[in-house]
Amino acid sequence: MSISTAFPLEARAELCDVGFSQLRAVMLQQAQAHELKILEDSDSAVSIEVTAFGQYRLAARGSGTVVTITAALPDRLFMLKDGFCDTLAQLLPEAAESLRWTQSASPSQTEVSAPRQPGQPPQPQLPPNLHFTTVQSITPIGTAFLRVQVKADDLSSFQDDAIHFRLVLPPEGCSAPEWPSVSASGATLWPKGDKALHRPVYTTRWIDRAAGLMAFDIFLHAGGRATNWVRAAAVGDQLAIAGPGGGGLVQSNKIVLFADETAFPAAARILENLSADSQGQITLVAEQGAACGYPIAAPKGVEVTWLTRSEAGDIAERALTARTALPDHFFWFAGEKSTVTPVRTAIKASDPAPGTTYIAAYWSQP
């Protein structure tokens, strides 16, 4: 099995005391759960592609396993290593702690240091996918959103194949947060306890990579940590973000999409990038329906339906009915966890082809 030339960067580790069959079973289970493409599967090797990010390859060697990870960009190589470390830690914590990587040469990347006050000791090495930005503007969008524009030194890794990222918010009232560091095994070590950082996922709504500018929209709701942050934020404030990650733009001209307010920014980004000949059905659910004023445009052949929450009824049932009626369309569904769970269960039972669905819980009802 050859490594794709699309992923020229490589990291390799040998786990002398971790049996291949055990790791193979776990990796195949994860591939199925996340609808990842299995490129190779035998009693001696398994290869899995993480769409656009890179590949995992595990091969038996004696009583152990050789793990090879390839990627297109340095930060994505790091994220795949971090993900494997997390998987191994859940399976065999001691093996995860002793994990060490050898890595191919890669384009130089500036080592990131955490901002610190005068007199503070040097900080540990930060994860390469952690970015420190400065707030440039905060603008109302419709009746229930604020658009935040930030500037960073380098946003080149924020491509269309990964349009999500995480805000990294310190504990409320904390002016000198503890930032994450990288362990010897390549894992991200996040602060815990009362130093834990809040890390909600958001969508890159607009980006100018050359200028280092990016905008994202925050849905305002009572009790939300991000809502509290943005209402108190001001131009010039520092904001840490981690990413990119998550799904990318839909590579299809046929789509069925369901979204509530938390998913409107992702839906809007996807719809504005569809080809002009696209067809499909879009259902958007908001407390005020279309009166919420969030701007979403779609190609002429894509029907857009706005519903209030009371009009929507059982949105999971609506979505599955639409999926049955248009089985050849890419299926995209995001919203509250209790609505997502039955949709995910039903779609998974239908055994869809990898890369034809996206189903995600963007928030959970208290």
Side-chain angles (χ1 to χ4, degrees), residues 144-165:
F145 288 82
L146 287 176
R147 176 162 295 171
V148 181
Q149 181 170 297
V150 297
K151 183 175 177 58
D153 290 338
D154 182 9
L155 294 176
S156 59
S157 62
F158 285 72
Q159 301 294 321
D160 290 343
D161 54 14
I163 64 173
H164 304 293
F165 66 95

Side-chain angles (χ1 to χ4, degrees), residues 121-366:
Q123 300 295 303
Q125 179 188 352
L126 297 176
N129 61 334
L130 186 72
H131 310 268
F132 291 98
T133 73
T134 303
V135 175
Q136 303 292 296
S137 63
I138 302 174
T139 309
I141 301 292
T143 62
F145 288 82
L146 287 176
R147 176 162 295 171
V148 181
Q149 181 170 297
V150 297
K151 183 175 177 58
D153 290 338
D154 182 9
L155 294 176
S156 59
S157 62
F158 285 72
Q159 301 294 321
D160 290 343
D161 54 14
I163 64 173
H164 304 293
F165 66 95
R166 290 182 182 273
L167 301 186
V168 183
L169 301 177
E172 292 184 350
C174 176
S175 59
E178 179 181 319
W179 300 110
S181 59
V182 181
S183 73
S185 66
T188 301
L189 302 176
W190 290 96
K192 297 180 180 180
D194 58 4
K195 296 182 179 180
L197 304 166
H198 185 53
R199 296 178 283 151
V201 176
Y202 280 85
T203 300
T204 303
R205 185 63 190 84
W206 168 88
I207 189 166
D208 182 339
R209 298 177 189 88
L213 294 171
M214 182 177 79
F216 59 94
D217 298 340
I218 293 181
F219 171 53
L220 303 174
H221 58 98
R225 283 281 303 279
T227 296
N228 294 343
W229 170 81
V230 74
R231 282 178 167 157
V235 172
D237 284 359
Q238 182 190 82
L239 172 67
I241 62 175
L249 298 178
V250 173
Q251 303 300 313
S252 173
N253 65 350
K254 294 182 177 181
I255 187 170
V256 170
L257 183 149
F258 284 75
D260 69 6
E261 294 103 327
T262 62
F264 283 1
R269 177 91 186 269
I270 288 167
L271 293 176
E272 70 188 17
N273 281 278
L274 292 178
S275 59
D277 64 346
S278 293
Q279 299 177 340
Q281 297 178 2
I282 309 302
T283 302
L284 305 169
V285 180
E287 189 64 37
Q288 300 171 283
C292 74
Y294 191 84
I296 293 184
K300 185 177 180 181
V302 177
E303 179 184 358
V304 179
T305 300
W306 286 88
L307 299 172
T308 64
R309 230 174 284 289
S310 59
E311 291 170 338
D314 189 337
I315 195 65
E317 183 179 348
R318 280 180 177 269
L320 292 172
T321 299
R323 167 70 170 175
T324 300
L326 299 169
D328 61 336
H329 287 43
F330 188 99
F331 181 79
W332 198 99
F333 186 101
E336 199 276 327
K337 184 178 180 180
S338 66
T339 67
V340 169
T341 299
V343 172
R344 178 180 285 122
T345 299
I347 296 299
K348 186 175 181 179
S350 69
D351 193 24
T356 60
T357 66
Y358 174 88
I359 305 168
Y362 278 14
W363 65 289
S364 297
Q365 187 74 43

